[in-house]
């Protein structure tokens, strides 16, 4: 089941990773091997988390890359669902699983 309006993964980084240990974006960016601008864009919800960034985050914050990718995927899917609510397909096709031989 999809979470209602899940937070951007950057919010998790800011609120649950950086703030509790008083880590600045500059210092976190250095640890991650990215620019302050790159991490700032993520933390402020202006950029998403790539697979490479998920691996970096998992190593720096001792989590898993799947955690970060799942957060990003959930965020993206919820927002896409909201944008696409009124969209209707022009046609539908049966899945290959349902086609009799």
């Amino acid at each position: 089941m999809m979470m209602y309006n899940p937070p951007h993964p950057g919010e998790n980084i800011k609120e649950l990773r950086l703030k509790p240990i008083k880590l600045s974006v500059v210092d976190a960016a250095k640890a991650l091997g990215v620019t302050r601008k790159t991490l700032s864009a993520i933390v402020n919800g202006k950029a998403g988390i790539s697979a490479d960034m998920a691996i970096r985050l998992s190593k720096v914050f001792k989590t898993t890359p799947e955690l970060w990718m799942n957060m990003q995927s959930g965020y993206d899917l919820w927002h896409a669902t909201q944008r696409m609510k009124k969209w209707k397909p022009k046609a539908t096709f049966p899945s290959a699983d349902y086609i009799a031989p």
Side-chain angles (χ1 to χ4, degrees), residues 1-9 11-12 16 67 70-82 85:
M1 184 173 169
M2 193 182 312
M3 180 188 278
Y4 177 77
N5 197 7
H8 187 279
E11 189 174 331
N12 180 290
L16 301 178
L67 170 77
N70 288 340
M71 273 192 256
Q72 186 66 54
S73 178
Y75 177 84
D76 291 344
L77 186 56
W78 190 85
H79 284 276
T81 300
Q82 301 314 300
K85 279 190 174 187

Side-chain angles (χ1 to χ4, degrees), residues 1 8 11 13-15 28 30 32-33 35 38 46 50-51 57 59 62-64 69 71 77-78 84 91 93 97 99:
M1 184 173 169
H8 187 279
E11 189 174 331
I13 295 169
K14 181 170 37 177
E15 298 298 327
K30 285 179 187 173
L32 290 162
T35 65
T38 296
K46 305 292 185 196
S50 66
L57 289 165
K59 289 182 178 187
K62 298 180 182 170
T63 60
T64 65
M69 293 306 295
M71 273 192 256
L77 186 56
W78 190 85
M84 299 291 293
F93 305 99
D97 296 346
I99 298 174

Side-chain angles (χ1 to χ4, degrees), residues 33-46:
V34 298
T35 65
R36 178 209 52 82
K37 185 177 178 180
T38 296
L39 184 57
S40 182
I42 293 169
V43 166
N44 291 308
K46 305 292 185 196

